[in-house]
Amino acid sequence: MKTQQELDYERIAEAIAFLKNNFKAHPKLDEAAEHVHLSPFHFQRMFQDWAGVTPKQFLQYLSVEHAKRLLMTTNATLFDTAYETGLSGTGRLYDLFVKVEGMTPGEYKNGGAALVINYTFADTPFGPVIVASTGKGICHMAFVDEGERNALENLKQIFPNAIYNQLADRNQQNALFVFNQDWSKLDEIKLHLKGTDFQIKVWETLLSVPTGGLTTYADLARKSGYTRASRAVGTAVGKNPVAFLIPCHRVIKSTGEIGQYHWGAARKNVIIGWEAARMHK
């Protein structure tokens, strides 16, 4: 049975998709509410509780013009200036706490036979996730869209010979803190990743795109040190093993369009809008 948080997310995602697909007709609040089978009053209240802004404001964060302005700002390194002037102080952007360590060949050879992996399932504002960790850090996080059993099997295909324990640990707890936007108790988030040197470099560079910020594949390639490898960088982004924490959802088209996402375009829209609303708030 789905949790209330999961049901709310699905309704919000459906409403956002409806508003985006019909924006030229300027749909009103009651039309969006009717689309998700809620009264306008309950839909507005649920949406604001979840996002902190109205549906109309949320949709503005997903517009092409807003994305273009944000891309220009990001390229102008405004966010770097923000870090340097201490704006991340009490807000504590989680990106600053994420440390990446690549797995050694010995740790993932023979299907990860040398690894002990703890895993658990958790609810997030964007649907349930499976999160898994070794003794060194998070090795896998993915949205669960086809049931917990399938999610676990997908993980086991990556490390078929590892030892698995359904057990929550401190690494997982820190990773899940970011969904609450309460980072005052946040310790360092450690990631223990299986990937090539090239992929890990791209994933590390993604962590420099701040919460509420956006980048393009070309700009990500440049910042990664692979200016002429945009296509390969895009492939590395698509193989990101840790949803949300490594923010591949912040990579969009150079035109300002949101584009596709491994875990669904609707979810990408919702995450980008949610982060923008939190930062503006």
mmCIF file of all heavy atoms in Angstrom, residues 6 121 128-130 142-154:
data_model
loop_
_atom_site.group_PDB
_atom_site.id
_atom_site.type_symbol
_atom_site.label_atom_id
_atom_site.label_comp_id
_atom_site.label_asym_id
_atom_site.label_seq_id
_atom_site.Cartn_x
_atom_site.Cartn_y
_atom_site.Cartn_z
ATOM 1 N N GLU A 6 3.810 9.324 -0.751
ATOM 2 C CA GLU A 6 3.941 8.829 -2.122
ATOM 3 C C GLU A 6 2.736 9.233 -2.963
ATOM 4 O O GLU A 6 2.883 9.634 -4.130
ATOM 5 C CB GLU A 6 4.092 7.301 -2.098
ATOM 6 C CG GLU A 6 4.489 6.705 -3.420
ATOM 7 C CD GLU A 6 4.755 5.212 -3.329
ATOM 8 O OE1 GLU A 6 4.753 4.668 -2.217
ATOM 9 O OE2 GLU A 6 4.966 4.593 -4.387
ATOM 10 N N PHE A 121 14.918 0.728 2.361
ATOM 11 C CA PHE A 121 13.973 1.482 1.552
ATOM 12 C C PHE A 121 13.457 2.654 2.374
ATOM 13 O O PHE A 121 13.299 2.553 3.592
ATOM 14 C CB PHE A 121 12.803 0.593 1.119
ATOM 15 C CG PHE A 121 13.206 -0.558 0.233
ATOM 16 C CD1 PHE A 121 13.482 -1.803 0.786
ATOM 17 C CD2 PHE A 121 13.322 -0.397 -1.134
ATOM 18 C CE1 PHE A 121 13.866 -2.870 -0.015
ATOM 19 C CE2 PHE A 121 13.713 -1.452 -1.945
ATOM 20 C CZ PHE A 121 13.979 -2.697 -1.384
ATOM 21 N N PRO A 128 9.444 6.657 -3.272
ATOM 22 C CA PRO A 128 10.337 5.816 -2.475
ATOM 23 C C PRO A 128 11.662 5.560 -3.172
ATOM 24 O O PRO A 128 11.752 5.580 -4.402
ATOM 25 C CB PRO A 128 9.541 4.515 -2.319
ATOM 26 C CG PRO A 128 8.622 4.490 -3.503
ATOM 27 C CD PRO A 128 8.275 5.915 -3.780
ATOM 28 N N VAL A 129 12.710 5.328 -2.380
ATOM 29 C CA VAL A 129 14.028 5.011 -2.904
ATOM 30 C C VAL A 129 14.566 3.766 -2.221
ATOM 31 O O VAL A 129 14.152 3.405 -1.117
ATOM 32 C CB VAL A 129 15.042 6.160 -2.689
ATOM 33 C CG1 VAL A 129 14.644 7.391 -3.464
ATOM 34 C CG2 VAL A 129 15.215 6.484 -1.201
ATOM 35 N N ILE A 130 15.497 3.111 -2.895
ATOM 36 C CA ILE A 130 16.351 2.123 -2.268
ATOM 37 C C ILE A 130 17.722 2.771 -2.131
ATOM 38 O O ILE A 130 18.204 3.408 -3.068
ATOM 39 C CB ILE A 130 16.439 0.808 -3.081
ATOM 40 C CG1 ILE A 130 17.352 -0.205 -2.354
ATOM 41 C CG2 ILE A 130 16.892 1.042 -4.517
ATOM 42 C CD1 ILE A 130 17.373 -1.588 -3.014
ATOM 43 N N ALA A 142 18.439 4.642 -5.810
ATOM 44 C CA ALA A 142 17.581 4.691 -6.992
ATOM 45 C C ALA A 142 16.132 4.813 -6.561
ATOM 46 O O ALA A 142 15.734 4.306 -5.500
ATOM 47 C CB ALA A 142 17.766 3.427 -7.844
ATOM 48 N N PHE A 143 15.333 5.490 -7.377
ATOM 49 C CA PHE A 143 13.908 5.580 -7.111
ATOM 50 C C PHE A 143 13.248 4.240 -7.407
ATOM 51 O O PHE A 143 13.608 3.548 -8.362
ATOM 52 C CB PHE A 143 13.279 6.691 -7.936
ATOM 53 C CG PHE A 143 13.706 8.069 -7.505
ATOM 54 C CD1 PHE A 143 14.649 8.776 -8.238
ATOM 55 C CD2 PHE A 143 13.193 8.635 -6.356
ATOM 56 C CE1 PHE A 143 15.067 10.036 -7.836
ATOM 57 C CE2 PHE A 143 13.602 9.897 -5.939
ATOM 58 C CZ PHE A 143 14.541 10.597 -6.679
ATOM 59 N N VAL A 144 12.298 3.890 -6.575
ATOM 60 C CA VAL A 144 11.621 2.597 -6.676
ATOM 61 C C VAL A 144 10.286 2.819 -7.376
ATOM 62 O O VAL A 144 9.327 3.308 -6.769
ATOM 63 C CB VAL A 144 11.405 1.979 -5.280
ATOM 64 C CG1 VAL A 144 10.626 0.664 -5.392
ATOM 65 C CG2 VAL A 144 12.734 1.759 -4.581
ATOM 66 N N ASP A 145 10.213 2.460 -8.639
ATOM 67 C CA ASP A 145 8.988 2.661 -9.410
ATOM 68 C C ASP A 145 8.287 1.348 -9.765
ATOM 69 O O ASP A 145 7.140 1.366 -10.197
ATOM 70 C CB ASP A 145 9.301 3.426 -10.700
ATOM 71 C CG ASP A 145 9.705 4.869 -10.424
ATOM 72 O OD1 ASP A 145 9.179 5.465 -9.465
ATOM 73 O OD2 ASP A 145 10.566 5.399 -11.168
ATOM 74 N N GLU A 146 8.974 0.236 -9.597
ATOM 75 C CA GLU A 146 8.392 -1.054 -9.987
ATOM 76 C C GLU A 146 8.448 -2.070 -8.852
ATOM 77 O O GLU A 146 8.584 -3.265 -9.086
ATOM 78 C CB GLU A 146 9.128 -1.594 -11.219
ATOM 79 C CG GLU A 146 8.984 -0.677 -12.435
ATOM 80 C CD GLU A 146 9.721 -1.211 -13.649
ATOM 81 O OE1 GLU A 146 10.427 -2.228 -13.503
ATOM 82 O OE2 GLU A 146 9.588 -0.617 -14.732
ATOM 83 N N GLY A 147 8.351 -1.595 -7.623
ATOM 84 C CA GLY A 147 8.307 -2.500 -6.478
ATOM 85 C C GLY A 147 9.672 -2.726 -5.852
ATOM 86 O O GLY A 147 10.706 -2.651 -6.524
ATOM 87 N N GLU A 148 9.677 -3.003 -4.568
ATOM 88 C CA GLU A 148 10.921 -3.179 -3.832
ATOM 89 C C GLU A 148 11.713 -4.396 -4.310
ATOM 90 O O GLU A 148 12.943 -4.362 -4.358
ATOM 91 C CB GLU A 148 10.627 -3.296 -2.332
ATOM 92 C CG GLU A 148 10.091 -1.996 -1.725
ATOM 93 C CD GLU A 148 9.874 -2.097 -0.221
ATOM 94 O OE1 GLU A 148 10.061 -3.219 0.329
ATOM 95 O OE2 GLU A 148 9.539 -1.064 0.399
ATOM 96 N N ARG A 149 11.026 -5.455 -4.678
ATOM 97 C CA ARG A 149 11.721 -6.659 -5.113
ATOM 98 C C ARG A 149 12.544 -6.387 -6.373
ATOM 99 O O ARG A 149 13.702 -6.783 -6.478
ATOM 100 C CB ARG A 149 10.727 -7.798 -5.370
ATOM 101 C CG ARG A 149 11.386 -9.081 -5.850
ATOM 102 C CD ARG A 149 10.375 -10.209 -5.999
ATOM 103 N NE ARG A 149 9.803 -10.583 -4.716
ATOM 104 C CZ ARG A 149 8.903 -11.551 -4.562
ATOM 105 N NH1 ARG A 149 8.475 -12.223 -5.627
ATOM 106 N NH2 ARG A 149 8.437 -11.839 -3.372
ATOM 107 N N ASN A 150 11.939 -5.698 -7.341
ATOM 108 C CA ASN A 150 12.665 -5.362 -8.576
ATOM 109 C C ASN A 150 13.830 -4.418 -8.301
ATOM 110 O O ASN A 150 14.893 -4.545 -8.912
ATOM 111 C CB ASN A 150 11.711 -4.727 -9.588
ATOM 112 C CG ASN A 150 10.794 -5.740 -10.244
ATOM 113 O OD1 ASN A 150 11.130 -6.916 -10.327
ATOM 114 N ND2 ASN A 150 9.646 -5.297 -10.707
ATOM 115 N N ALA A 151 13.610 -3.475 -7.381
ATOM 116 C CA ALA A 151 14.679 -2.529 -7.041
ATOM 117 C C ALA A 151 15.875 -3.258 -6.447
ATOM 118 O O ALA A 151 17.033 -2.953 -6.767
ATOM 119 C CB ALA A 151 14.154 -1.479 -6.062
ATOM 120 N N LEU A 152 15.606 -4.230 -5.582
ATOM 121 C CA LEU A 152 16.695 -5.001 -4.979
ATOM 122 C C LEU A 152 17.384 -5.865 -6.027
ATOM 123 O O LEU A 152 18.626 -5.991 -6.026
ATOM 124 C CB LEU A 152 16.159 -5.857 -3.836
ATOM 125 C CG LEU A 152 17.186 -6.733 -3.110
ATOM 126 C CD1 LEU A 152 18.316 -5.886 -2.533
ATOM 127 C CD2 LEU A 152 16.508 -7.545 -1.998
ATOM 128 N N GLU A 153 16.626 -6.459 -6.932
ATOM 129 C CA GLU A 153 17.228 -7.279 -7.979
ATOM 130 C C GLU A 153 18.120 -6.442 -8.894
ATOM 131 O O GLU A 153 19.180 -6.899 -9.331
ATOM 132 C CB GLU A 153 16.135 -7.978 -8.792
ATOM 133 C CG GLU A 153 15.466 -9.135 -8.066
ATOM 134 C CD GLU A 153 16.476 -10.180 -7.605
ATOM 135 O OE1 GLU A 153 17.343 -10.571 -8.420
ATOM 136 O OE2 GLU A 153 16.413 -10.579 -6.427
ATOM 137 N N ASN A 154 17.692 -5.207 -9.184
ATOM 138 C CA ASN A 154 18.522 -4.320 -10.001
ATOM 139 C C ASN A 154 19.851 -4.031 -9.315
ATOM 140 O O ASN A 154 20.898 -3.984 -9.960
ATOM 141 C CB ASN A 154 17.781 -3.015 -10.271
ATOM 142 C CG ASN A 154 16.612 -3.188 -11.229
ATOM 143 O OD1 ASN A 154 16.568 -4.137 -12.004
ATOM 144 N ND2 ASN A 154 15.664 -2.275 -11.173
#
